[in-house]
Amino acid sequence: MRVSFFNELDSFSKHHNLSTRKIITGVCSDERIGNYYNNPSFGYGGYCLPKDTKQLSKQFNKIPNKLIQAIIESNETRKKFIVKSILEKNPKSVGIYRINMKLNSDNYRESSVLNIIKKLQENKVIIYVYEPQIKSISDKYNVIEDIREFAEKSDLFIANRLSNEINFAKN
């Protein structure tokens, strides 16, 4: 729910050309919300959370509810919004900076960015992946291990988290 909330704030901000960071800072100044785990992302992913959320939704059966299904729909909407935003820029190639789920992890199974990659590829966009943590993906994606080469080949690149390495690549 928290991931979906901050992702929707980000989508709203991007659509209206507003500062996502300023809006999130304002919202998080309410101590009931707090200033933690509030970074917009590609959507929630992983092996457990999407599956568990869908299973929970089914368990409600005849119990009145709206929120759980709305979270599932919000996550899909977020990924579509990101793809649409990328395609509007008409890139021939998109670099994906890291597909792993968490920092210093080699787990990318069911990562939310994989859905974005698939939708971009369906639209004939060439995908380059910079992911030095995971060696087993080179047969699935155009993996580039040099950050400068990655930045040069990508018309634009997207990242699920900030890092000094990205700033280096932009220069």
Side-chain angles (χ1 to χ4, degrees), residues 5-6 9 22-34:
F5 178 74
F6 285 107
L9 281 180
K22 287 181 181 177
I23 290 171
I24 288 175
T25 298
V27 168
C28 290
S29 67
D30 184 323
E31 61 189 41
R32 293 171 296 175
I33 296 170

Side-chain angles (χ1 to χ4, degrees), residues 6-159:
F6 285 107
N7 283 344
E8 288 193 8
L9 281 180
D10 182 62
S11 296
F12 178 85
S13 299
K14 299 288 185 224
H15 180 78
H16 292 288
N17 202 25
L18 301 170
S19 169
T20 300
R21 185 53 40 212
K22 287 181 181 177
I23 290 171
I24 288 175
T25 298
V27 168
C28 290
S29 67
D30 184 323
E31 61 189 41
R32 293 171 296 175
I33 296 170
N35 191 18
Y36 63 93
Y37 208 81
N38 59 7
N39 295 316
S41 65
F42 298 135
Y44 65 82
Y47 181 71
C48 296
L49 194 54
K51 174 182 60 75
D52 292 349
T53 308
K54 289 174 184 168
Q55 183 62 40
L56 179 60
S57 178
K58 289 179 183 174
Q59 294 296 316
F60 270 88
N61 198 8
K62 295 181 182 181
I63 303 168
N65 75 91
K66 296 268 185 209
L67 188 59
I68 303 300
Q69 188 58 40
I71 291 167
I72 295 166
E73 291 170 15
S74 174
N75 200 48
E76 292 306 311
T77 299
R78 174 63 174 183
K79 291 184 263 186
K80 289 175 186 174
F81 176 82
I82 290 171
V83 169
K84 181 177 180 270
S85 298
I86 292 169
L87 292 175
E88 285 173 351
K89 296 178 186 319
N90 295 315
K92 289 185 172 74
S93 64
V94 171
I96 308 296
Y97 178 82
R98 306 287 182 130
I99 62 172
N100 57 2
M101 293 294 299
K102 295 177 184 167
L103 188 62
N104 298 323
S105 168
D106 64 355
N107 181 4
Y108 68 95
R109 185 175 53 171
E110 303 299 323
S111 176
S112 57
V113 76
L114 297 177
N115 298 110
I116 293 167
I117 290 171
K118 180 180 176 187
K119 288 174 181 15
L120 291 172
Q121 287 176 324
E122 288 169 358
N123 283 276
K124 309 297 184 220
V125 176
I126 298 167
I127 302 295
Y128 296 109
V129 174
Y130 178 77
E131 183 52 79
Q133 290 289 122
I134 306 171
K135 300 297 181 193
S136 64
I137 62 170
S138 59
D139 58 331
K140 296 180 183 179
Y141 305 105
N142 297 317
V143 178
I144 299 176
E145 294 184 13
D146 179 79
I147 192 69
R148 286 188 191 263
E149 181 185 354
F150 168 77
E152 288 172 10
K153 285 191 171 187
S154 304
D155 291 339
L156 65 93
F157 60 89
I158 61 173

